[in-house]
Amino acid sequence: MAGPGLGKSSLTDAVSEKMASELTILRIHGSSSLAKVPYGVLAPFTADLPPEEADSPVAVLRAVWKYFQELKAGKDVPLLLVVDDAHHLDEATANMVVDMMSAGWASVLAAGRPRPGLPQALNQLWYDGQAERIDLRPLNGDQVTEVVEHALHGTVPANTVQSLWSASGGNPMLLNCLLGDAVEAGLLAKRNGIWLLLGPLPADGPRLSDVVVKDLLRRTPEEQDALRLIALAEPVGRGLIEDVCGGAVVRSLLDHQLVSESSGRHSQLRIWHPILGESMRHQVSVSRSLQLRQKLNDYLDAQTAGAEGRLRMVEWSLECGLEVPDPDLLDAALLAVTMFNNSGARLMAGHVRAPELQAHAESISARALFNEGKYREAATLLDSCWLELASDPEAPHILMLRASAHLALGKSAEMLRAESRHQLTDAGHDAAASWQDKIHHLLEMAEAGDHEGIGTVISALRERRAHDGEGETLSSHAQHLPAGEAATGSGGPGPVRSRGEARASIVNEATHAVAHALLAQVLVSAGLAHQAHSAALAAAPALPALQGGLYFFNEFVLTRLVSASLAAGNWESAEHELSSHPAEGNAGAATFGGGIQMLRGLGFLRQGQLERAYQVLLPAVEALRINDPLQQFRFGSALAFYAAARLGDGAQAQRLEQDLIAARHATGPGSELLAEGYAAAAAEYLDRKGSGLAKLRELAASEPVAVQPGIRMECLILCSDLGDRTVIAEIAALADAVEGRWAAGWHQLAQAWATEDADLLMETAAALEEAGLVNLAREGYARAGAILDGAGERRRARQAVAHREKCDQELGERFRESPFVASVPSVHLTRRERDIVELAVQGLSDREIAQQLMVSVRTVEGHLYRSYVKLGVRRRDELALALPKK
C-alpha cells in the first residue's frame, strides 16, 4: 500500500522478476474505467465465454482456471497472482481473487493506494490475519543520498541532495524524473568530480511533464479543470473550488490523492506535490490560463488568501498578462526572493513602473542576484538604489546586503566605510549617516579584530535601550513594511507607529544583531569561545524583528554561533545548530548549503576525523565556488587543501592550492589568517621541504596572530602536526588561557607530554577519551606507547597500541600522522604480517596477495591495517622504507 509514485509497481515488477524461475506469474491490472464492471479486468481470460455467462462467477472462475492450466503448461509450479492498482478492482473480481487464494490455487501479491483503499474482500484478508500489509513510505534523506549517488556514479554535495529530496518529497518516481531532467538540461553538472546543482530544478522537463500529462488523461474533463485551477491558484480554499467545480469533483480528487488538504479553520487545497503543481502550470497555455482566471475571479479574496496565496495570485496575473498594482508586485517579489524564487522575484520587480518604487524593485532584484552568487551585478544594483532608500524601514537590510556584496568582491570594510560615509554626506542623508556609519564601523572593527571597540558599541546600545525604556527587543511587534506604504500596524497586534519609528526600531534591532554576531566572531579569534557563544546567543532576540527582509540576518548570526561552538570543542552543539537551520530543508540549501557543510568539515578536522572532513569539504568547496554569500570559499579551500595533503591526495591538493591562489580576496573576516595557516601546513605535507613549516612558524609569531590567542593556538597545533615538538610547552601555556574543552584537552595533553611520564600520559589519554576528545586521546596513547617501548616494557607498550588502534577505529581512520609525531613503538610484525607486507611492497594487490597466500581478501586487509599502525605509515608506497630489516 502506498500513495502515487512510491514504487508499488516497481516493487511488484522486481518480485515477479526475482520469482519467475520458481513460480508461474500471472498479472492483473486494475483500471479506474473498469472499477464498476464485474470481472472487467478479467476480460483477457474470459473472451471465449458466451455473453450470457460473462457475469457468472462459476463460468468466469472456470475460464480463469483454464487459462492458469495453459499458462503452467503441465508444469507443477505454484502460481503467483500479481494484482497492480488493486484499489481499482471491482468487488466481483476481488471476491474471486480471495476465493482463489483461500482454495490454495494461487498466492497473491497486490499493490494499491490507501485512498480510496482496497475492496472490502481484500481488506478482510488483512483483518483476519490471512495477509500481510506492507506500507511503503517516502525515501528518507539517507536513502535519497544513496539513490542519487548510485544514479549519478559520483559524489553529490549534501545541499544538492537536500534540494532533490525537498523537491521530490522522497517520492522515487518524482526523484527519478527530476534527476533525469536536471542532468539533461545541464542544471545538474559534474565539476571536479562533484555533482553540483547549477540552478533551480526544472519543473518543465520531459520526464516530469510526461507524468503530469498521463495523470491528467486518466481524469474526467471536470477533474482536469479542477486540477488546473488548483495548480494555478494554490494554495486555494476548498470552498472556492467546490463553488466553481462542484463538491463531488473535489471529493474525487481527494479520494484519489491527486490533491492534498490542509487542516485548520480555512481548509486549503494543493496539488499533492508542489513540483507537480509547478509542472502542471507550465503546461497550461496563456489563453487557457486567462480563461480559468476569469472563471475564478468572482470567487477570489486576496484578504483571506494568505501570503503564499497572494504571491501565487500575482504570479498568475503576470502569466496571464493582467495588470498588477505596483505595491502588490513589490510585496510578492519580496516574499519570492526570501523563498529563493529568484527568477520570479526578478520578474515581478521588473514589472514595477512607478518611479518612486524603482529603488525598492532594484533592491529586490539585487537580492535575487545575490542568492545566485552574482555579487558584482548585485553590488552594482545596490550602489544605484541604497542612497535613495537610506531612510526606508528596509534600509538596514539593504545596507548589510550591499556590504556583503562588496566584501565578497574583495573590498575591505575600512574602504567601504569611507566611501559610504562620503556618499551619504554628499547626498544630504545626515540622519541616516550616523547609524549606517555605525554598522560600517562594526564591520571595520571586526575585520581588525577589535573586540573591545565592538564591546563599547554594544554597551552604548544597551544604555540607549535602558534610557528609552525598551528593556526588551521590539521583535514582538516590529513589522516589515511593504514598500511605499505607511506603517499603520495593520500586520499584527503591535502599536500604531510612524514610518520613522518603524525604521528606527528595525535599525536598533539590526545594529544589535550585527554587533553581537561580530563580537562573537572576534572573540573566537581571541580564544574566548564561551564568551563568543554568549555574544552570538545575545543576537538572537533581535532576529524575529528582522524576518522577512532582504538580508539574511539568521545566517549571519548562525555562522558565528557555530564557529563559537566549534572553537569551544562543543561538536554536538555545533551539529545541532547546523542541522536545525532552515536551509537544511528548503530552497535556501543552494545558497547557504556550501557554507554549512564547510563548517561541518571544520568540526571534523578539529575532531581528528580527516577522512570524514575531506568527504564533506570537497563538495562544500565546489558549492561555495558557485554561491558564497558569507565569503567562506577561501577558508573552505584551505581546509580542503589541508585534508587532501594529509590524506595523500596530491592531485586534488594541487588543484585546491590553485583555488587558494586565485581567490585571494574571497575570504570572510576573521578567517584569512587561519586560511593562511592551513594552506602553509598543507604545502609542507605536499613537499616536506620545510618551507611550509617555516611559513607557519612565521605566521604564528606574527603580530596579527600574536594578539589573537585562538588563532595562534590553532597555528601551533598545525606546527605540531608537522613534527615541531618545540611548541609543546607553548601550547600548554597558551591553551590554558583559551576557553573551551578543546583548548583544555590540548592543555592536558601538552602538560602530560612534557613530563615524559607514561603512566600520566595513559591516565590523561583515558580522561580525554572519556571527554569525547578521541583524537587527543589517540596522541596520548601513542606517546605513552613509545615511552614504554623505549623502556623495554613491551607488554604495556602493546596495551597502549591497542588503545591507540581503538581510537583510530572510532575516528574512522586507518592511520594518520599524529600531532607531535609520536614515535611508533617498535612492535615486531608477525610472520603472516611480514609476508603480506613484503608482497604489498612488490606491488601486488590485496586480491593477488590473498590468492598467493590462499587466504581471504579481508584477512589481507586486516593484516595490512595492523601493519600500517605498527610501522607508522598510511600508504603502501611508505611501506618499503618502514619495513623492519630481517
Side-chain angles (χ1 to χ4, degrees):
M1 300 295 289
L6 289 178
K8 302 182 297 297
S9 297
S10 296
L11 184 56
T12 57
D13 288 345
V15 171
S16 299
E17 183 180 351
K18 183 76 172 177
M19 304 300 294
S21 61
E22 303 175 35
L23 300 171
T24 299
I25 310 294
L26 179 65
R27 299 196 71 117
I28 297 176
H29 294 273
S31 168
S32 58
S33 60
L34 297 174
K36 296 183 179 180
V37 179
Y39 307 117
V41 296
L42 299 178
F45 318 123
T46 61
D48 296 335
L49 285 179
E52 63 272 13
E53 294 185 1
D55 58 354
S56 166
V58 175
V60 171
L61 184 59
R62 188 183 299 118
V64 173
W65 177 249
K66 179 182 177 183
Y67 184 88
F68 289 169
Q69 295 304 312
E70 293 173 355
L71 190 66
K72 293 170 68 173
K75 298 177 183 177
D76 187 20
V77 179
L79 178 71
L80 175 65
L81 182 61
V82 179
V83 185
D84 206 2
D85 286 342
H87 52 283
H88 286 318
L89 284 187
D90 61 276
E91 291 291 343
T93 302
N95 286 326
M96 179 168 290
V97 169
V98 171
D99 289 342
M100 289 165 55
M101 195 194 81
S102 300
W105 285 11
S107 298
V108 177
L109 173 62
R113 296 184 183 181
R115 294 180 65 174
L118 299 178
Q120 177 60 31
L122 289 176
N123 264 331
Q124 193 64 44
L125 290 174
W126 176 48
Y127 296 146
D128 294 342
Q130 298 180 52
E132 182 178 356
R133 171 172 169 157
I134 300 172
D135 290 286
L136 302 184
R137 306 295 182 192
L139 303 177
N140 61 31
D142 291 338
Q143 291 167 333
V144 169
T145 300
E146 185 178 353
V147 169
V148 171
E149 290 185 344
H150 176 77
L152 298 177
H153 304 290
T155 302
V156 186
N159 57 302
T160 299
V161 172
Q162 182 60 55
S163 295
L164 287 162
W165 184 24
S166 178
S168 67
N171 185 289
M173 176 185 68
L174 298 183
L175 178 62
N176 184 56
C177 291
L178 288 169
L179 266 177
D181 288 343
V183 171
E184 188 174 298
L187 293 169
L188 194 57
K190 201 170 188 179
R191 302 282 179 85
N192 295 316
I194 309 296
W195 283 94
L196 296 173
L197 193 59
L198 306 180
L201 288 164
D204 56 350
R207 293 168 180 80
L208 193 61
S209 298
D210 186 57
V211 168
V212 172
V213 169
K214 287 179 178 177
D215 268 356
L216 281 173
L217 289 175
R218 296 189 186 104
R219 312 270 65 89
T220 67
E222 295 77 15
E223 289 174 338
Q224 290 182 25
D225 271 355
L227 284 169
R228 291 189 180 102
L229 269 177
I230 295 169
L232 288 165
E234 63 180 351
V236 59
R238 175 174 178 172
L240 188 154
I241 299 297
E242 286 179 334
D243 289 342
V244 176
C245 302
V249 171
V250 172
R251 286 192 295 275
S252 174
L253 296 179
L254 287 169
D255 283 343
H256 289 91
Q257 293 182 281
L258 297 171
V259 299
S260 60
E261 181 180 16
S262 65
S263 57
R265 193 160 60 104
H266 298 293
S267 173
Q268 291 189 314
L269 301 178
R270 297 174 184 265
I271 300 300
W272 69 272
H273 198 282
I275 197 71
L276 287 178
E278 189 177 347
S279 181
M280 197 176 296
R281 291 194 287 273
H282 280 290
Q283 297 178 37
V284 181
S285 67
V286 174
S287 58
R288 182 63 174 142
S289 180
L290 179 58
Q291 183 183 34
L292 291 171
R293 176 61 184 269
Q294 290 169 341
K295 187 176 182 180
L296 208 62
N297 264 344
D298 293 339
Y299 300 89
L300 292 174
D301 182 1
Q303 298 302 316
T304 60
E308 194 178 350
R310 292 196 297 273
L311 170 60
R312 183 63 212 132
M313 288 297 105
V314 171
E315 290 178 321
W316 191 5
S317 296
L318 292 179
E319 291 163 5
C320 295
L322 300 177
E323 289 292 328
V324 180
D326 285 346
D328 291 347
L329 283 170
L330 284 176
D331 283 348
L334 179 60
L335 180 60
V337 82
T338 56
M339 295 171 65
F340 300 93
N341 179 0
N342 303 317
S343 60
R346 286 203 303 275
L347 175 67
M348 288 178 270
H351 276 77
V352 173
R353 292 291 176 260
E356 68 275 13
L357 298 180
Q358 285 301 306
H360 292 94
E362 288 179 357
S363 68
I364 292 172
S365 295
R367 171 62 198 271
L369 290 165
F370 194 99
N371 284 348
E372 296 171 340
K374 300 171 182 175
Y375 305 123
R376 193 169 302 281
E377 295 94 323
T380 300
L381 270 182
L382 290 164
D383 284 344
S384 69
C385 69
W386 78 288
L387 287 173
E388 188 175 341
L389 299 174
S391 299
D392 193 83
E394 191 70 12
H397 290 269
I398 296 168
L399 171 68
M400 286 299 295
L401 188 62
R402 177 175 176 265
S404 293
H406 280 291
L407 292 173
L409 295 171
K411 184 174 287 187
S412 70
E414 181 182 9
M415 183 184 299
L416 181 63
R417 181 191 179 199
E419 290 178 357
S420 301
R421 182 193 296 171
H422 179 70
Q423 290 169 322
L424 283 165
T425 303
D426 286 351
H429 288 295
D430 296 332
S434 175
W435 69 263
Q436 297 218 18
D437 187 65
K438 183 180 292 181
I439 291 181
H440 281 128
H441 191 207
L442 285 167
L443 292 169
E444 183 183 351
M445 287 188 288
E447 199 171 75
D450 183 4
H451 63 84
E452 293 180 354
I454 298 175
T456 300
V457 172
I458 289 175
S459 297
L461 288 172
R462 192 177 296 117
E463 291 175 7
R464 172 78 178 274
R465 283 174 181 272
H467 180 267
D468 291 345
E470 292 181 345
E472 56 186 57
T473 71
L474 297 173
S475 60
S476 61
H477 60 260
Q479 304 295 319
H480 167 71
L481 299 175
E485 295 183 12
T488 62
S490 60
V496 175
R497 293 175 294 150
S498 71
R499 189 178 185 83
E501 289 173 332
R503 181 185 59 77
S505 72
I506 294 177
V507 165
N508 290 339
E509 299 302 326
T511 309
H512 177 87
V514 170
H516 280 89
L518 292 177
L519 178 62
Q521 171 185 303
V522 179
L523 287 173
V524 165
S525 299
L528 304 173
H530 292 324
Q531 294 180 48
H533 195 265
S534 297
L537 287 177
L543 296 178
L546 302 170
Q547 293 294 319
L550 281 177
Y551 191 67
F552 37 90
F553 284 99
N554 274 359
E555 289 75 19
F556 186 82
V557 173
L558 173 74
T559 52
R560 277 74 181 175
L561 181 66
V562 172
S563 294
S565 293
L566 292 177
N570 295 329
W571 326 121
E572 302 84 359
S573 175
E575 178 54 33
H576 173 74
E577 289 151 2
L578 288 174
S579 60
S580 61
H581 181 252
E584 287 283 85
N586 63 19
T591 299
F592 296 104
I596 286 176
Q597 290 302 103
M598 188 277 290
L599 289 170
R600 277 201 176 96
L602 175 60
F604 289 140
L605 273 185
R606 287 178 176 167
Q607 292 176 74
Q609 299 181 39
L610 282 175
E611 291 176 6
R612 288 189 71 185
Y614 193 40
Q615 291 167 2
V616 168
L617 286 168
L618 267 185
V621 168
E622 295 307 317
L624 288 170
R625 192 188 306 280
I626 296 172
N627 220 319
D628 184 22
L630 295 166
Q631 301 94 58
Q632 297 164 301
F633 175 72
R634 181 168 160 79
F635 186 38
S637 296
L639 297 178
F641 176 29
Y642 175 80
R646 286 290 301 268
L647 292 170
D649 191 345
Q652 286 280 26
Q654 290 173 3
R655 182 183 64 79
L656 290 162
E657 185 177 22
Q658 293 305 310
D659 283 342
L660 281 170
I661 295 170
R664 292 185 183 280
H665 64 274
T667 305
S671 59
E672 173 60 31
L673 294 172
L674 270 182
E676 286 186 29
Y678 276 99
E684 181 64 23
Y685 278 111
L686 282 184
D687 59 29
R688 292 289 187 180
K689 293 180 180 178
S691 57
L693 180 57
K695 184 177 180 180
L696 189 56
R697 286 172 176 158
E698 181 182 345
L699 179 66
S702 67
E703 184 177 346
V705 173
V707 297
Q708 301 188 73
I711 294 177
R712 180 169 172 76
M713 187 187 80
E714 199 153 357
C715 286
L716 292 175
I717 290 171
L718 292 172
C719 286
S720 72
D721 281 351
L722 292 163
D724 185 358
R725 301 187 186 183
T726 65
V727 299
I728 296 174
E730 191 172 358
I731 286 179
L734 192 60
D736 191 37
V738 174
E739 294 179 348
R741 71 169 180 171
W742 189 48
W746 275 104
H747 178 71
Q748 287 178 265
L749 177 62
Q751 278 195 324
W753 192 288
T755 66
E756 295 290 314
D757 185 330
D759 291 332
L760 179 60
L761 277 164
M762 290 291 287
E763 291 174 9
T764 300
L768 291 170
E769 188 177 4
E770 179 69 22
L773 300 170
V774 179
N775 59 322
L776 304 189
R778 190 256 181 219
E779 310 314 333
Y781 288 130
R783 182 58 182 158
I787 293 172
L788 291 167
D789 185 68
E793 297 187 47
R794 299 300 173 83
R795 183 184 62 80
R796 293 185 63 200
R798 284 193 291 272
Q799 289 177 344
V801 169
H803 282 294
R804 187 188 64 189
E805 289 180 348
K806 177 175 174 289
C807 291
D808 281 332
Q809 291 172 355
E810 190 170 342
L811 291 170
E813 305 291 327
R814 284 171 63 91
F815 178 80
R816 66 178 185 80
E817 292 179 339
S818 64
F820 307 130
V821 190
S823 300
V824 181
S826 56
V827 179
H828 296 293
L829 298 179
T830 66
R831 176 63 180 271
R832 177 64 80 188
E833 288 169 347
R834 178 181 287 275
D835 290 343
I836 289 173
V837 168
E838 287 178 344
L839 291 172
V841 169
Q842 295 172 25
L844 274 67
S845 69
D846 289 357
R847 184 169 298 280
E848 290 170 337
I849 295 172
Q851 291 173 347
Q852 184 161 331
L853 298 180
M854 293 184 293
V855 296
S856 70
V857 174
R858 180 168 293 185
T859 298
V860 172
E861 291 173 344
H863 282 304
L864 277 175
Y865 167 76
R866 286 186 288 275
S867 301
Y868 285 169
V869 174
K870 291 178 180 181
L871 297 172
V873 301
R874 359 166 239 186
R875 300 189 303 267
R876 287 185 182 231
D877 57 8
E878 297 174 351
L879 283 173
L881 295 176
L883 190 63
K885 305 301 180 184
K886 294 182 180 178

